[in-house]
Amino acid sequence: MKLSNKFTLSRVIFAPVFFFLYMIPLWSTSVPVLSKISAVILIPLLILFELTDYFDGYYARKNGEVSDFGKLFDPFADVMLNLSIFLCAVSSGYMPVVLFVLIFYREFCQNFLRMVAISKGTAIAAKKGGKFKTVFYIISGFAFLTVECAKRLGIIDLFKSYANPVMNVSKTVLIVLFSLCVLFSYLSFADYIKSFASVLKNKK
C-alpha cells in the first residue's frame, strides 16, 4: 500500500477508536477516573488524526501517488472520522439529532456522486467549498471536545454558581457551529452536483 494511503487508512481505523474512547466513560459511570483519562487524551488524539489528513495529501503529491482510488479513499476517511465525532456530540446532547442526520445524508450522497463519477472515468476533486466545510467541521469538533473535556476534568464546576450558565452558553454556541456545518455542507454539495452534472453531460 502506498504511504499516502496508509495515512488515510489510519484515519479510518482511528474513527471507531476515537468513538469508543469517548463513549466508554459514559458507559462506565461507576469508574469516574476513566472520564478524566479520556478528557486528557481525546483532544491530542484528534489533533493526531487530523494531521494524517495533511500527511496523506503531502506524500501523495510528493511521491506522485495521486490516484482515483486516493481521491475516493481520502474523503471517505474524512467522513468516517467526522461522523464519529458528531455522533459523540449527539450522544452527549451537544448536537441535535436532526443536524447529524442532515450531515449524514449529505456526506453519503456526496460519496455516491464521487463513485458514479469514477464509474464514468472522472474523479471529482475536492473544491474550495468542500475544503471550507471540512475546516468548519474540524473547528466545530474541537470546540465540542473542549467543552466536554473541560466538563469531564471538573474545570467548569470550578465556576460553581456559574457552571450551569457557562454550559448553557457553550451548548448554544455549539448548536450554532453545528448548524453552520450543515449550511456549508449543503452549499458545497450544490456545487458538487453542478460539477457532477457537467461530468455526465461531457460523457454522453
Side-chain angles (χ1 to χ4, degrees):
M1 179 179 285
K2 297 175 181 178
L3 180 59
S4 57
N5 289 336
K6 288 180 180 179
F7 280 112
T8 306
L9 178 62
S10 69
R11 204 152 64 256
V12 173
I13 296 172
F14 286 160
V17 170
F18 179 90
F19 176 77
F20 282 108
L21 286 176
Y22 181 92
M23 295 300 297
I24 286 174
L26 302 182
W27 296 333
S28 306
T29 54
S30 59
V31 189
V33 69
L34 292 177
S35 183
K36 296 187 182 300
I37 292 174
S38 67
V40 171
I41 66 176
L42 283 172
I43 291 179
L45 200 61
L46 184 56
I47 292 173
L48 175 63
F49 296 168
E50 296 296 351
L51 282 176
T52 66
D53 193 19
Y54 166 78
F55 286 124
D56 63 18
Y58 172 78
Y59 284 105
R61 292 186 294 271
K62 180 181 178 181
N63 299 336
E65 298 175 353
V66 177
S67 64
D68 287 346
F69 173 76
K71 290 177 182 178
L72 283 176
F73 195 31
D74 181 59
F76 171 76
D78 290 341
V79 169
M80 285 281 290
L81 181 57
N82 288 324
L83 288 184
S84 296
I85 295 168
F86 290 154
L87 188 55
C88 291
V90 170
S91 71
S92 294
Y94 294 104
M95 184 179 194
V97 175
V98 64
L99 298 183
F100 174 81
V101 171
L102 288 172
I103 289 177
F104 179 89
Y105 287 157
R106 184 273 183 200
E107 294 299 341
F108 275 86
C109 288
Q110 172 66 37
N111 279 341
F112 175 74
L113 289 184
R114 288 184 184 277
M115 289 187 291
V116 174
I118 285 290
S119 72
K120 299 292 182 179
T122 301
I124 299 179
K127 293 179 170 290
K128 289 183 179 180
K131 292 179 179 178
F132 179 77
K133 176 269 302 180
T134 298
V135 169
F136 217 84
Y137 278 12
I138 294 171
I139 292 172
S140 300
F142 275 109
F144 143 64
L145 276 182
T146 299
V147 174
E148 177 62 17
C149 289
K151 179 182 175 182
R152 293 187 180 191
L153 289 172
I155 295 175
I156 291 179
D157 291 336
L158 295 177
F159 292 96
K160 296 181 179 179
S161 59
Y162 296 100
N164 287 334
V166 167
M167 282 302 299
N168 290 335
V169 171
S170 298
K171 288 183 176 180
T172 300
V173 171
L174 288 174
I175 289 175
V176 171
L177 287 175
F178 290 136
S179 298
L180 289 174
C181 284
V182 173
L183 175 62
F184 294 140
S185 69
Y186 276 89
L187 288 175
S188 66
F189 185 49
D191 192 24
Y192 279 112
I193 291 177
K194 180 180 178 181
S195 297
F196 178 71
S198 300
V199 168
L200 287 184
K201 182 178 180 180
N202 294 334
K203 292 299 177 180
K204 287 182 179 179

